[in-house]
Amino acid sequence: MVFDMVFACWSYSCYLTLKEWQIVVYLVMLAAGVIQAFCNVFGDNTGTLQQVGLMVNICFYVFAGYYVGRKYYFFRLTGGIHGTGPRENLLEDKIYNGAADAVAQGGNYMGAKVNEAMDKDDAK
């Protein structure tokens, strides 16, 4: 509950000042909230009603992180408040492209290993 109050105050501060670093800190705090709620749901022997409440909090944090992150990305793509910021080669784009490449390489590797295993089974 205290975490939610901090989130509300912080998000209102982000709305009033429009500072990018505050939005990034807010997204990090949301991720920490999700991790903490997961640990509480699966680690403690609390009542069922409290676990349901924590699962609802997890859903809210994920939705809030998704929508705030999406709007933050579009805000960065348009150049920020004044429209003069960088619009190409953003850190977010580099991370996304690197993750996409890693997933593609992993998929190709797993596909090759599955094909090898199937060929071994066929040879027997």
Side-chain angles (χ1 to χ4, degrees), residues 26-83:
Y26 178 69
L27 291 171
V28 170
M29 288 171 50
L30 282 175
V34 168
I35 292 169
Q36 186 239 357
F38 265 120
C39 290
N40 285 342
V41 167
F42 298 114
D44 293 341
N45 291 329
T46 57
T48 311
L49 188 60
Q50 186 174 1
Q51 287 180 339
V52 170
L54 287 171
M55 288 180 200
V56 169
N57 270 354
I58 290 170
C59 293
F60 173 75
Y61 293 161
V62 168
F63 287 134
Y66 172 75
Y67 286 112
V68 170
R70 197 171 120 199
K71 291 298 179 183
Y72 173 68
Y73 180 70
F74 290 132
F75 176 75
R76 294 262 303 176
L77 281 181
T78 58
I81 294 175
H82 302 292

Side-chain angles (χ1 to χ4, degrees), residues 66 69-70 73-74 76-77 89-105:
Y66 172 75
R70 197 171 120 199
Y73 180 70
F74 290 132
R76 294 262 303 176
L77 281 181
N89 296 326
L90 296 174
L91 178 64
E92 297 90 356
D93 292 334
K94 291 177 186 176
I95 292 171
Y96 177 77
N97 292 335
D101 292 342
V103 168
Q105 288 176 354

Side-chain angles (χ1 to χ4, degrees), residues 4-43:
D4 296 328
M5 296 292 286
V6 170
F7 286 156
C9 293
W10 196 270
S11 64
Y12 187 64
S13 173
C14 293
Y15 171 75
L16 291 177
T17 60
L18 291 175
K19 293 182 179 174
E20 280 189 67
W21 69 270
Q22 286 184 340
I23 296 171
V24 172
V25 169
Y26 178 69
L27 291 171
V28 170
M29 288 171 50
L30 282 175
V34 168
I35 292 169
Q36 186 239 357
F38 265 120
C39 290
N40 285 342
V41 167
F42 298 114

